[in-house]
Amino acid sequence: MSTPHKRKLGPWSVYPIGLGCMNLSHAYGVPPSRAQAERVLLGALDAGVDLFDTAALYGFGANETLIGDILAPHRQRFVLASKCGMQGVDVQGDGKPVRVIDGRPATLKATCEAALKRLRTDVIDLYYLHRWDKQVSIEDSVGALADLVREGKIRSIGLSEVSASTLCKAHAVHPIAAVQTEYSLWSRNAEIAVLQACQELDVAFVAFSPVARGFLTGALRSINSLADKDIRRAMPRFSPQNYPLNMQLLQAFEQLAQQAGCTPAQLALVWLLAQGEHIIPIPGTTSLEHLQEDVQAAQLTIAPQHVAAADTLINRHSVHGPRYPASTLPEIDTEDF
């Protein structure tokens, strides 16, 4: 194994692989116990991870609270990223929050104030607009975040799931430090335009779901094992029609990883790191063992032919099903094939 070069993220240099904290509280069925979450978070620090990514949406504030409770004593050791503009709101007054996209300046500022308290910090290093609220101009939303920078409540601004043109409009208002979008062997939308736009503007590209929402780990052999409230149940690639077809790709991918001398998850991450020095994957996990496996991917040297073979095997032409259901598409701004 080799010592990886750190990658630029705004004014910071970070380990090439960060930690996405969402599934410690949200989205993929029953979250792990607090004790297990603590093992993962502190284990990530011990493994050299210095970028932790959360959001107001995750667990409707619970994930930010978890991060604050466990990592506040270590605040100087990592870059803290969170998100606003999409959060849980108790619309019906029944104590059951629903997801709402709201990019109005007053909402973003109020969300930030609440996040600072939950995260137990005076400043958030990287604060993303989680989704562009298309009822509000991107200039107005980013302008509100720029106010937070001037007030010293956040240090830099990020955008999530935006197109290259939206990035350019936002960047003209205030420098954007990072764009976060799904990117993996099986989700290539970023390759249309925004990946190159980030490189040209010196913006880091933070890749979420880099192991394809667990698919590329090989751990999910059947969709029947997914919890009832697991968000993957609504995603077309995990449908009863498409998943068996995608599993055929996975079997060949696992063989390729074996030939490369690494795990399938590591091959997926090595491929992603090879796509550009400005790319920082943030896999998520509830397992300390899987965390260590992911982190070690940045230290591996895999033969170029194996990386190229992975690219040829799994891509937008070979995968079955779009990445999101049709109902979600209006919420995102990323380019589509």
Side-chain angles (χ1 to χ4, degrees), residues 188-269:
R188 305 292 193 95
N189 302 67
E191 295 175 352
I192 299 172
V194 77
L195 204 58
Q196 182 176 344
C198 285
Q199 193 165 27
E200 292 171 353
L201 295 172
D202 196 25
V203 173
F205 184 94
V206 176
F208 75 80
S209 297
V211 292
R213 301 187 184 274
F215 170 72
L216 292 173
T217 68
L220 184 63
R221 310 310 293 189
S222 169
I223 55 173
N224 294 328
S225 64
L226 295 176
D228 289 343
K229 293 186 178 180
D230 192 308
I231 62 172
R232 289 172 290 187
R233 283 193 172 275
M235 293 181 171
R237 290 175 182 169
F238 293 91
S239 71
Q241 295 76 29
N242 289 326
Y243 201 68
L245 298 172
N246 289 326
M247 279 297 294
Q248 295 176 17
L249 292 173
L250 182 63
Q251 291 167 5
F253 185 70
E254 289 174 324
Q255 293 173 358
L256 181 59
Q258 187 175 24
Q259 294 167 13
C262 64
T263 69
Q266 288 172 335
L267 181 56
L269 290 167

Side-chain angles (χ1 to χ4, degrees), residues 99-247:
R99 190 183 68 165
V100 172
I101 296 175
D102 185 347
R104 292 174 297 175
T107 301
L108 302 185
K109 293 179 179 181
T111 305
C112 181
E113 293 292 346
L116 289 168
K117 292 184 176 67
R118 289 192 290 261
L119 291 163
R120 294 171 53 186
T121 187
D122 295 328
V123 61
I124 298 169
D125 297 317
L126 173 58
Y127 206 42
Y128 291 95
L129 184 67
H130 203 160
R131 291 291 185 273
W132 172 32
D133 177 358
K134 297 172 185 177
Q135 305 303 310
V136 180
S137 74
I138 192 65
E139 291 86 354
D140 284 351
S141 292
V142 172
L145 297 179
D147 289 342
L148 292 173
V149 173
R150 286 187 285 270
E151 294 167 11
K153 294 175 180 177
I154 67 174
R155 289 196 171 104
S156 63
I157 298 172
L159 302 173
S160 179
E161 291 279 28
V162 297
S163 63
S165 62
T166 300
L167 168 61
C168 291
K169 291 176 185 176
H171 198 70
V173 175
H174 188 280
I176 301 300
V179 167
Q180 182 174 145
T181 293
E182 182 176 0
Y183 188 33
S184 69
L185 282 162
W186 84 347
S187 290
R188 305 292 193 95
N189 302 67
E191 295 175 352
I192 299 172
V194 77
L195 204 58
Q196 182 176 344
C198 285
Q199 193 165 27
E200 292 171 353
L201 295 172
D202 196 25
V203 173
F205 184 94
V206 176
F208 75 80
S209 297
V211 292
R213 301 187 184 274
F215 170 72
L216 292 173
T217 68
L220 184 63
R221 310 310 293 189
S222 169
I223 55 173
N224 294 328
S225 64
L226 295 176
D228 289 343
K229 293 186 178 180
D230 192 308
I231 62 172
R232 289 172 290 187
R233 283 193 172 275
M235 293 181 171
R237 290 175 182 169
F238 293 91
S239 71
Q241 295 76 29
N242 289 326
Y243 201 68
L245 298 172
N246 289 326
M247 279 297 294

Side-chain angles (χ1 to χ4, degrees), residues 18 26 42 44 46 60 62 69 94 146 195 204 223 225 234 248 253 263 285 322:
H26 186 85
L42 296 181
D46 291 342
F60 303 126
D69 288 350
D94 57 2
L195 204 58
I223 55 173
S225 64
Q248 295 176 17
F253 185 70
T263 69
T285 183

